[in-house]
Amino acid sequence: EIVNAVDNGALVVNYFGHGGEDGLAVERILLKPDVNGFRNYCKLNCFVTVTCEFTRFDNPFRETAGEFTYWNKQAGAISLITTTRQIFVSFAVSFNNTLGKYLFSYSDDDAYDDNEYPSMAEALRLAKSDPKVSGINQKRLIFFIGDPAMKLAFSKPNIRLTKINDVPLAQATDTLKALSYVKLAGEVTDVSGNLLPNYNGTLSTTIYDKLIDRRTLANDGTRLNGELVILDFETLGEIIFRGQSTVKNGQFEFDFVVPKDIGIPVGFGKVSFYSKNEELSLDQSGASINTLKIGGINENAAEDNTGPVITLYMNDENFVSGGITNEQPTLLAKLEDLNGINTASGIGHDIVAILDGDETNPVILNDYYQTEIDDYTKGTVSFPFRELEPGLHTLTLKAWDVYNNSSISEIQFIVFDKDQELAINNVLNYPNPFVNYTEFWFNHNSSEPLDVSIQIFTVSGKLVKTINGQTTGGFKSTSSLSRDLIWDGRDDFGDKIGKGVYVYKLTVRSNILNKKVEKIEKLVIL
């Protein structure tokens, strides 16, 4: 879960508890191999560890997990606020609470307004200077690693909800009932609440059901004065809608059908907004709390007995079941239903993937589902797998619509070890036959660029054209399909060649493995 949260783009990761040079917690919840496997490309975080020697950087003979977190060249952390020696719990609690006030700018003891933020290093300096921390020597064990002038990438305020079912918020009395159709509207504003009429972009909205009261399990046997220690706490409710909509001239609206699995008692949910403009230069955010009532059942809901349509791919939408991938493929699931997909996590109603029939380790995918822009009936699940074993794998995915109708789909794929073997399959050119344009396609198992050569021969064996190129690759590439080479039907001298059948040889070479693979296919020119 920690690795998934990092890969999904958590801005701040704050760990409080046992830790050491090799990782976090006695249960080994995060170790050096996990850190090296982070895939939060272009979404680097501030990693805060209030623990012991997680980043003991002064021993050149032992590299620590904290150092690996920062050294990760393509992912990991942009900065660390981290400990280098053992610290005591009493100090750790006081320091962590104090740091949060300055890092997230809700302290009344600094010179920053609530919507202004110090740099991460300055937040640490302010925390160490705070009276609750300044007199304790252990503050010297906490360091900042990174650019001291860098600030966290906080979005600007504000985004607000203005209408429910076309009724202004001040007059609205509607409750979001199970299976009811809902339309919400709002606007993007500046910090003073003024509409931004020139703001155009895409809004991401997450709507949560009512808060959930929870209790710790007391399964570690901890006692205080002879009594088991049980703590009560609240968490956000289940997500009942996660979707995208267009913002035009600072205003937006979107609609959806409320899932059947919401909590029936009526109470206030939470709406969270995040928007990015077309130029990717201004991110806005906002929330609506204690304004949206959720609960009850729509007794007049239309009937729906049909489950969602599910289409599965690996890495990209050109994947064909039975194709090849590397050890870290990304599952893409395209879901479509007239009333939308259920993500409210009713008992047994999650979006679930089962790999190779292992039902004891299901992959819950609710948090990885996102609707298409301005269309709640369609959406995509995108989930990155890690370190799969080489060989044939079968993946089954089950999803439910908001009426709790289910569907199941299955896909097979073959994992090749990219560090030991270069593999290609599904070699073809499209269109075929063609007149003056075709693309050469093939699947491969490499995440690094590959050298590609295509030689085209007549049926008598005469070479008429050689095309050289490279596949796209790199750390952000997830596609296992190459369609980078094209041909216009002309020979090496630029002359149009005759109609008929030709043979081509595809040669793919990996410079890292020093290996190559060849395939021969036919094409037809009209």
Side-chain angles (χ1 to χ4, degrees), residues 228-288:
L228 276 175
V229 175
I230 299 176
L231 301 178
D232 296 314
F233 62 102
E234 286 184 331
T235 63
L236 287 170
E238 302 292 351
I239 294 174
I240 66 172
F241 175 74
R242 180 189 283 114
Q244 301 180 92
S245 54
T246 300
V247 181
K248 187 173 183 180
N249 300 326
Q251 298 182 322
F252 62 86
E253 67 176 27
F254 58 91
D255 55 356
F256 64 99
V257 175
V258 181
K260 188 176 182 179
D261 281 335
I262 63 169
I264 298 304
V266 176
F268 288 110
K270 176 184 176 180
V271 186
S272 178
F273 297 116
Y274 196 98
S275 179
K276 55 187 178 183
N277 66 345
E278 293 173 345
E279 295 78 20
L280 301 180
S281 60
L282 184 61
D283 287 4
Q284 303 282 119
S285 64
S288 181

Side-chain angles (χ1 to χ4, degrees), residues 238-523:
E238 302 292 351
I239 294 174
I240 66 172
F241 175 74
R242 180 189 283 114
Q244 301 180 92
S245 54
T246 300
V247 181
K248 187 173 183 180
N249 300 326
Q251 298 182 322
F252 62 86
E253 67 176 27
F254 58 91
D255 55 356
F256 64 99
V257 175
V258 181
K260 188 176 182 179
D261 281 335
I262 63 169
I264 298 304
V266 176
F268 288 110
K270 176 184 176 180
V271 186
S272 178
F273 297 116
Y274 196 98
S275 179
K276 55 187 178 183
N277 66 345
E278 293 173 345
E279 295 78 20
L280 301 180
S281 60
L282 184 61
D283 287 4
Q284 303 282 119
S285 64
S288 181
I289 302 173
N290 296 333
T291 57
L292 202 63
K293 289 185 177 181
I294 300 174
I297 301 175
N298 177 15
E299 302 290 350
N300 300 314
E303 187 174 346
D304 180 358
N305 298 307
T306 304
V309 176
I310 305 173
T311 309
L312 301 181
Y313 307 95
M314 301 305 295
N315 290 324
D316 61 51
E317 294 181 42
N318 296 297
F319 186 86
V320 178
S321 184
I324 60 176
T325 73
N326 59 22
E327 304 100 312
Q328 301 188 97
T330 297
L331 167 67
L332 292 179
K334 296 289 184 177
L335 308 179
E336 182 175 355
D337 187 87
L338 180 64
N339 289 298
I341 303 300
N342 188 358
T343 61
S345 196
I347 297 175
H349 296 158
D350 295 302
I351 305 173
V352 177
I354 302 294
L355 188 62
D356 298 327
D358 184 7
E359 296 186 1
T360 60
N361 292 295
V363 182
I364 307 300
L365 299 171
N366 295 5
D367 290 341
Y368 296 86
Y369 177 75
Q370 180 74 274
T371 70
E372 293 188 3
I373 297 176
D374 298 323
D375 188 352
Y376 69 89
T377 67
K378 300 177 182 178
T380 302
V381 171
S382 178
F383 179 80
F385 284 98
R386 296 180 181 85
E387 305 304 331
L388 296 183
E389 292 292 327
L392 176 66
H393 294 276
T394 301
L395 184 142
T396 303
L397 186 138
K398 186 174 186 178
W400 306 74
D401 66 13
V402 295
Y403 278 70
N404 289 341
N405 302 303
S406 66
S407 297
I408 297 176
S409 186
E410 183 178 281
I411 192 171
Q412 291 187 323
F413 57 98
I414 301 171
V415 172
F416 279 86
D417 187 342
K418 64 180 177 60
D419 295 324
Q420 297 180 9
E421 184 174 1
L422 176 63
I424 63 174
N425 71 354
N426 296 330
V427 177
L428 58 91
N429 67 293
Y430 180 82
N432 187 23
F434 71 100
V435 177
N436 56 14
Y437 180 88
T438 192
E439 298 175 352
F440 293 93
W441 295 20
F442 63 94
N443 287 111
H444 60 85
N445 66 323
S446 176
S447 57
E448 300 298 326
L450 300 171
D451 293 331
V452 183
S453 175
I454 296 174
Q455 294 176 298
I456 300 164
F457 302 88
T458 65
V459 290
S460 62
K462 179 184 177 182
L463 177 64
V464 295
K465 180 68 176 180
T466 300
I467 306 170
N468 295 313
Q470 243 189 3
T471 64
T472 55
F475 65 87
K476 290 181 66 177
S477 175
T478 60
S479 177
S480 60
L481 173 76
S482 171
R483 48 188 295 185
D484 302 287
L485 274 66
I486 62 175
W487 185 38
D488 60 3
R490 297 179 181 273
D491 63 19
D492 284 328
F493 300 99
D495 298 325
K496 180 70 176 176
I497 64 175
K499 301 176 182 178
V501 177
Y502 293 82
V503 176
Y504 66 90
K505 180 170 74 172
L506 170 70
T507 303
V508 180
R509 179 179 178 83
S510 169
N511 292 317
I512 295 176
L513 298 178
N514 194 27
K515 293 181 180 180
K516 70 176 182 179
V517 180
E518 296 179 346
K519 294 282 186 179
I520 295 176
E521 294 291 341
K522 295 179 182 179
L523 59 82

Side-chain angles (χ1 to χ4, degrees), residues 35-36 38 40-42 44 67-78 475:
V35 169
N36 288 331
F38 283 156
N40 56 319
Y41 310 129
C42 301
L44 308 184
E67 291 172 290
F68 280 112
T69 305
Y70 188 71
W71 287 339
N72 192 317
K73 292 182 179 180
Q74 299 159 345
I78 194 69
F475 65 87

